[in-house]
Amino acid sequence: MNKLQGKLVAGLAMVAFFGVLGSAHAQPAGAPPVTDTTAPPTPMMATPTPVPMSSDSMSGQLGFGVAVSAGANTLIAPGATLNMKYWLSDVLAVMPTVALKMYKIKDVDTNWAIAPGALVLFCPWRTTSTRLSVGGGLNLTLAKWGAAGPPALGTQPTGAPPADTWIGINLPIYAGVEHFFTKWFSMGIAVQDNFLQYGKQGDAWAMGVAIDNVNSITALGFLFFYTD
C-alpha cells in the first residue's frame, strides 16, 4: 500500500514538472506584453466658415443715377442732376452730385454753370427693400449766368453773362426714401433744402440761414442703377 502511494505521488510530481516546462517554452520569460502601436488619428484643424453677407446688405455697393426736381408751376422742372452713391456700410452712404448748365446765344458769350457737391447720408430705418436716408453735405456753385444771382434749375439767362463769376456755397440737408425693386435698381423721392446759403459776385455778397418750404426746399425724384 505504501509503495502504491509513493508511485502515485511520484507520477503527479512528474506531470506537474512537465506542465511547468511546457508553459515556459510557450512564453519566454521576460517577454514584453504586446501593445497596440497604431497612433491615434490626428484631429483636423477646424476651418472657420466665412459668414456670407446678407442678401439685403448694401455695404460696398456703387450706384449711378439721375435726379429731377419739381418746378414751381410744373410737376418736373427742366434739367437733371447726375448722382453717384457709394454705401460705406449698410447704414452709411456718400452721394457726390454735379449739376451742369450751358446756354449760348448768337453774338453773346456762353452762359455756363457748374455745381459739384456731396452728401453724407445715414439710414436710421430700413426694411428688405425700402430705406429712409437723412443727412447733409456741401455744395459749391460757379457760374456766369445772365440773370442776377445763382442760376435756377430750368431758367434761361437774360442778356449777356456778367463779367464776374458767381460763387455760391451751400450747406444742404436731405431726407429721402429709396425703394429697391432689385439689388441693382432703385427709385425714390426726397426733399432737399439749402440750410445755409452764401453767394458772392464781384463786391456784392449775400448770406442766409433758413428752412423755407416755399423758396429753398426742393422736391426730388431719382433713380439709381447699382453695380454688382
Side-chain angles (χ1 to χ4, degrees):
M1 187 67 179
N2 292 333
K3 291 181 178 181
L4 181 59
Q5 291 177 352
K7 291 180 178 181
L8 182 59
V9 172
L12 292 174
M14 292 180 65
V15 171
F17 173 78
F18 284 110
V20 172
L21 184 62
S23 176
H25 281 288
Q27 182 174 353
V34 179
T35 58
D36 187 6
T37 59
T38 304
T42 304
M44 297 182 63
M45 296 182 63
T47 303
T49 303
V51 179
M53 185 181 298
S54 61
S55 59
D56 61 342
S57 175
M58 291 301 296
S59 179
Q61 293 293 316
L62 176 64
F64 299 90
V66 293
V68 295
S69 62
N73 301 312
T74 58
L75 180 62
I76 298 177
T81 301
L82 303 178
N83 296 340
M84 183 175 69
K85 182 183 289 186
Y86 178 74
W87 288 88
L88 300 172
S89 69
D90 199 35
V91 295
L92 190 65
V94 177
M95 189 168 69
T97 63
V98 59
L100 300 171
K101 295 184 67 177
M102 186 174 294
Y103 191 85
K104 175 65 176 175
I105 302 176
K106 184 179 179 180
D107 299 328
V108 177
D109 292 339
T110 302
N111 292 264
W112 59 270
I114 180 172
L119 293 168
V120 178
L121 304 179
F122 174 70
C123 181
W125 178 85
R126 67 189 188 277
T127 64
T128 303
S129 57
T130 304
R131 291 169 179 258
L132 170 67
S133 297
V134 295
L138 177 66
N139 176 272
L140 174 65
T141 300
L142 301 174
K144 280 195 174 183
W145 207 249
L153 196 64
T155 61
Q156 293 184 357
T158 57
D164 297 319
T165 301
W166 169 271
I167 301 173
I169 300 175
N170 300 318
L171 297 181
I173 54 177
Y174 175 99
V177 176
E178 184 175 5
H179 181 79
F180 292 84
F181 294 92
T182 68
K183 188 68 177 290
W184 55 269
F185 175 70
S186 71
M187 295 181 67
I189 57 174
V191 291
Q192 182 172 317
D193 178 67
N194 290 325
F195 176 69
L196 173 64
Q197 303 178 70
Y198 173 82
K200 186 176 186 301
Q201 190 172 34
D203 295 330
W205 61 271
M207 185 177 67
V209 177
I211 298 179
D212 189 342
N213 64 342
V214 176
N215 296 323
S216 61
I217 290 182
T218 303
L220 302 171
F222 59 88
L223 59 87
F224 272 97
F225 293 92
Y226 286 92
T227 60
D228 293 332

